[in-house]
């Protein structure tokens, strides 16, 4: 499964295309809301079928991290997660 993580969320997708589309959406939404023009091309080096992790800073210097990666655990955890 492909794992997409954002500021306070994580989502799993069986298909890379769906995962990449969601990843692009959340990163681009954050850049539109908090970023500057220099961050606009941050996703340009995402290769088809590849993983990526980006760390961005807003105007106050607060950093956030987004990632698209293959989840070797396949979504299985050894513990319960409460939402």
């Amino acid at each position: 499964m492909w794992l997409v993580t954002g500021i306070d969320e994580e989502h799993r997708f069986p298909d890379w295309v769906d995962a990449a589309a969601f990843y692009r959406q959340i990163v681009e939404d954050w850049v539109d809301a908090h970023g500057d023009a220099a961050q606009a091309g941050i996703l340009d080096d995402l290769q088809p079928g590849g993983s990526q992790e980006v760390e961005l800073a807003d105007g106050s210097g607060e950093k956030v991290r987004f990632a698209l990666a293959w989840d070797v655990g396949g979504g299985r955890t050894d513990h319960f997660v409460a939402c």
Side-chain angles (χ1 to χ4, degrees):
M1 296 287 258
W2 287 96
L3 176 64
V4 177
T5 56
I7 297 167
D8 60 356
E9 60 187 321
E10 65 178 42
H11 301 273
R12 288 176 176 77
F13 298 85
D15 181 65
W16 183 87
V17 172
D18 294 336
F22 182 75
Y23 174 72
R24 285 182 184 280
Q25 176 191 342
I26 64 173
V27 172
E28 289 171 354
D29 287 351
W30 190 93
V31 169
D32 288 345
H34 304 284
D36 59 31
Q39 296 171 328
I42 194 80
L43 300 174
D44 291 348
D45 64 346
L46 177 59
Q47 299 296 314
S51 297
Q52 184 182 56
E53 184 174 331
V54 296
E55 186 174 274
L56 304 168
D58 64 13
S60 69
E62 196 71 27
K63 293 184 178 182
V64 296
R65 182 174 291 133
F66 297 93
L68 166 63
W70 181 249
D71 179 19
V72 295
R76 295 182 309 273
T77 59
D78 294 334
H79 59 280
F80 292 101
V81 179
C83 295

